[in-house]
Amino acid sequence: MADKLYDLVVIGGGPGGYVAAIRAAQLGMTTACVEGRGSLGGTCLNVGCIPSKALLQSSELFAEARDHLKDHGVVLPKVELDLATMMGRKNKIVSDLTGGIEFLLKKNKVDYVKGWGSIPRAGEVAVASDDGGTQTLKTQKILIATGSESTPLPGVATDEKQIVTSTGALDLSDPPKKMVVIGAGVIGLELGSVWSRLGSEVTVIEFLDRVLPGMDGEICKQAKRVFSKQGLKFKLNSKVTQATADDAGVTLTVEPAKGGAAEELRADIVLVSIGRRPFTVGLGLQELGVVMDNRGVIQVDASYQTSVPGIYAIGDCVPGPMLAHKAEEDGVVAAEIMAGQSGHVDYNLVPGVVYTWPEVAAVGRTEESLKADGIDYRVGKFPFSANSRARANGDTDGFVKILAETRNDRVLGVHILGPLAGDIIAEAVTVMEFGGCAEDIARTCHAHPGVGEAVKEAALAVDGRAIHI
Ligand code: FAD
Ligand code: NAI
């Protein structure tokens, strides 16, 4: 490898990096992918999307068996939790999938270089392996895809045992009796749901006045109601200023967000989930003069090139939502542009999904943002309680909400709280990619009985002509 000149060296083997490497190789570029953690797939496959979804699925089945199967006339003698098996299943899914990525790199003739990369200068990547060895890769172009890490909270030092980030919360050996989650965002609600279903008393402390801030306001309100009914406790407008661990648990100091009298809470486990920040430590970006903003987010132009020619960046370490599918889109388009093709990602149309049950899914504009921009819109809503498949399945919480521009009926935003919301949002994304209208969805034949019919009914409701409500 020492004398080889690569067309592209990608630093980071997550969904941004490995996808970019494969696409670059497909386009004929000689490519290497440098990854330090010992397995490919990044945060997403190792400690993010996949293990969390495995535990969400297992815990949902456990709660369903314990609390709801009897409603179907399915009577089980006793439902017991075997957490070690649940964790083992999750770990196997992770290792199978990360191994699958290694196979894909091989298949596409991408060199997988194990170790931590840094950039001494444009055109070179130095790789330090865990056994102390180093090597230098020479390359025409470098793509930084080093992802993100949990944002620390001052006064609340994580130890991944009692005070954990999502990584520790995916690997607890017992359900804590009491768990406090700091931050009612995506991680807080997903992992809070997992442990609540497995028997923990979960309190979620949120700085703002709502759960899932940034989502459509009506969805936030209804989601909070549904999750409260499931047993999650919420303390909104509150901040944790300190957490101290001892042998018996953790003591938290909690204050009103705007200041005021503090109170103390006890918990066995505290999950800190107040957001993520780019991870670029050790790359040598400052020395190179790569421009970043004050949060460490690498600034790139429309072709994903940083301020240093020949050095590109994608995924969680550049602006935009920190989502695996967004990182993948970045990776594909960046590789295509490097190979002389054109391409772009419409960042307004990146769907966001929260994999609780019911799920929350959204794409495009919220009602609040349309109001703020003075755009005239019409709203169509349809509740899952009026959808026959949702009723047959016993999944009647939630609704579909479509926002369409008044003057031309163009769909501007779709927000769903409900069963399989994360899958049925794909229809809305496709319609919006084509610049479609609510009428296009309303006139599309949807299979019956399906939860997707709620999307069609919401589209009909934009024009005041829903049939089933
Ligand atoms: P990453 O996946 O973080 O990959 C970066 C890789 O680079 C890492 O493997 C790291 O080890 C490596 N690296 C870093 N520095 C170096 C270096 N100097 N040299 C070599 N290697 C290096 N997103 C979704 O879309 N859906 C979900 O359901 C979802 N669930 C999530 C659940 C959790 C608990 C978490 C934490 C995140 C979740 N995400 C989800 C977000 C998603 O994981 C990220 O958006 C995505 O992984 C970003 O991809 P990336 O390639 O930019 O970075
Ligand atoms: P988040 O940004 O979704 O939520 C953080 C929450 O913490 C916000 O509600 C915020 O107001 C609150 N907060 C911030 N500071 C606080 C404080 N001091 N005290 C109390 N609350 C505070 O971040 P989260 O949940 O950590 O997830 C990080 C990112 O990971 C997400 O933004 C998303 O990009 C990605 N992710 C995506 C998933 C998915 O797509 N299903 C699942 C999990 C993570």
Side-chain angles (χ1 to χ4, degrees), residues 43 48-49 52-53 56 148-151 153-154 166 181-191 205-214 235 238-241 272-277 316 320-325 351-356 360:
T43 302
C49 324
S52 60
K53 266 77 258 182
L56 279 157
S148 62
E149 61 178 355
S150 181
T151 304
L153 178 57
S166 52
V181 173
I182 309 177
V186 196
I187 291 180
L189 292 183
E190 287 189 355
L191 294 182
I205 300 176
E206 167 59 46
F207 187 82
L208 297 175
D209 63 351
R210 58 184 60 193
V211 306
L212 297 174
K235 245 178 146 20
S238 304
K239 64 181 176 195
V240 175
T241 50
V272 181
S273 50
I274 59 161
R276 292 179 65 81
R277 65 179 186 188
D316 277 11
M322 289 183 166
L323 295 172
H325 42 283
V353 178
V354 190
Y355 293 88
T356 45
V360 186

Side-chain angles (χ1 to χ4, degrees), residues 1 57 65 91 167 188 199 204 247 250 255 272 342 357 359 365 383-384 419 444 465:
M1 260 176 229
Q57 177 71 5
N91 294 340
T167 301
V204 185
D247 288 347
V250 182
E255 285 177 23
V272 181
S342 56
W357 196 262
E359 293 176 350
R365 306 290 299 262
F384 283 100
T444 300
R465 49 181 228 268

Side-chain angles (χ1 to χ4, degrees), residues 270-289:
V270 174
L271 164 61
V272 181
S273 50
I274 59 161
R276 292 179 65 81
R277 65 179 186 188
F279 180 75
T280 54
V281 174
L283 286 171
L285 299 187
Q286 253 148 7
E287 295 81 344
L288 282 163

Side-chain angles (χ1 to χ4, degrees), residues 56-408:
L56 279 157
Q57 177 71 5
S58 297
S59 60
E60 173 63 18
L61 288 175
F62 175 72
E64 186 73 7
R66 184 190 54 201
D67 304 332
H68 300 299
L69 279 189
K70 53 185 178 300
D71 303 342
H72 294 259
V74 179
V75 182
L76 298 173
K78 192 174 178 213
V79 177
E80 285 178 63
L81 176 64
D82 173 357
L83 187 59
T85 299
M86 196 178 277
M87 289 293 178
R89 174 186 177 275
K90 174 218 38 159
N91 294 340
K92 178 160 182 349
I93 292 166
V94 168
S95 62
D96 286 353
L97 285 173
T98 55
I101 306 300
E102 201 164 333
F103 165 78
L104 288 176
L105 289 196
K106 227 181 248 154
K107 184 181 153 207
N108 286 281
K109 302 193 171 42
V110 174
D111 289 337
Y112 168 23
V113 182
K114 292 184 188 168
W116 296 100
S118 58
I119 312 174
R121 61 192 63 83
E124 273 183 25
V125 173
V127 184
S129 52
D130 284 343
D131 62 12
T134 52
Q135 59 178 312
T136 300
L137 309 177
K138 296 213 164 28
T139 178
Q140 304 276 3
K141 294 185 171 72
I142 296 169
L143 178 63
I144 301 166
T146 49
S148 62
E149 61 178 355
S150 181
T151 304
L153 178 57
V156 186
T158 52
D159 55 16
E160 296 301 3
K161 288 189 179 75
Q162 289 169 291
I163 305 178
V164 298
T165 66
S166 52
T167 301
L170 289 166
D171 235 356
L172 301 179
S173 50
D174 290 299
K177 210 163 165 307
K178 284 190 180 187
M179 182 177 206
V180 164
V181 173
I182 309 177
V186 196
I187 291 180
L189 292 183
E190 287 189 355
L191 294 182
S193 292
V194 165
W195 292 108
S196 163
R197 290 164 185 170
L198 298 182
S200 304
E201 188 188 311
V202 177
T203 303
V204 185
I205 300 176
E206 167 59 46
F207 187 82
L208 297 175
D209 63 351
R210 58 184 60 193
V211 306
L212 297 174
M215 289 263 183
D216 189 89
E218 256 183 300
I219 294 276
C220 299
K221 257 194 214 136
Q222 186 68 13
K224 178 171 174 272
R225 242 178 255 146
V226 172
F227 299 136
S228 301
K229 212 169 61 182
Q230 292 174 359
L232 291 182
K233 294 200 176 88
F234 291 98
K235 245 178 146 20
L236 303 181
N237 300 304
S238 304
K239 64 181 176 195
V240 175
T241 50
Q242 201 171 0
T244 319
D246 55 50
D247 288 347
V250 182
T251 304
L252 296 119
T253 309
V254 186
E255 285 177 23
K258 289 183 184 144
E263 61 169 319
E264 285 198 343
L265 286 185
R266 284 287 288 173
D268 302 296
I269 296 287
V270 174
L271 164 61
V272 181
S273 50
I274 59 161
R276 292 179 65 81
R277 65 179 186 188
F279 180 75
T280 54
V281 174
L283 286 171
L285 299 187
Q286 253 148 7
E287 295 81 344
L288 282 163
V290 170
V291 172
M292 295 175 272
D293 71 7
N294 56 6
R295 294 179 45 248
V297 180
I298 300 174
Q299 302 300 296
V300 288
D301 64 16
S303 57
Y304 302 94
Q305 190 157 215
T306 67
S307 53
V308 177
I311 302 181
Y312 298 73
I314 55 163
D316 277 11
C317 58
V318 303
M322 289 183 166
L323 295 172
H325 42 283
K326 178 268 187 186
E328 291 188 23
E329 298 297 325
D330 283 357
V332 167
V333 173
E336 290 176 350
I337 292 173
M338 285 180 207
Q341 300 187 350
S342 56
H344 89 290
V345 181
D346 186 343
Y347 291 102
N348 297 315
L349 297 186
V350 175
V353 178
V354 190
Y355 293 88
T356 45
W357 196 262
E359 293 176 350
V360 186
V363 61
R365 306 290 299 262
T366 61
E367 198 166 348
E368 291 75 17
S369 79
L370 293 178
K371 275 193 186 132
D373 287 349
I375 297 171
D376 279 337
Y377 59 92
R378 295 195 295 171
V379 187
K381 278 189 276 188
F382 191 79
F384 283 100
S385 56
N387 172 273
S388 52
R389 184 70 190 275
R391 287 194 85 100
N393 291 356
D395 278 326
T396 50
D397 282 328
F399 60 96
V400 178
K401 172 173 179 178
I402 296 182
L403 301 164
E405 197 164 355
T406 306
R407 68 189 168 101
N408 55 16

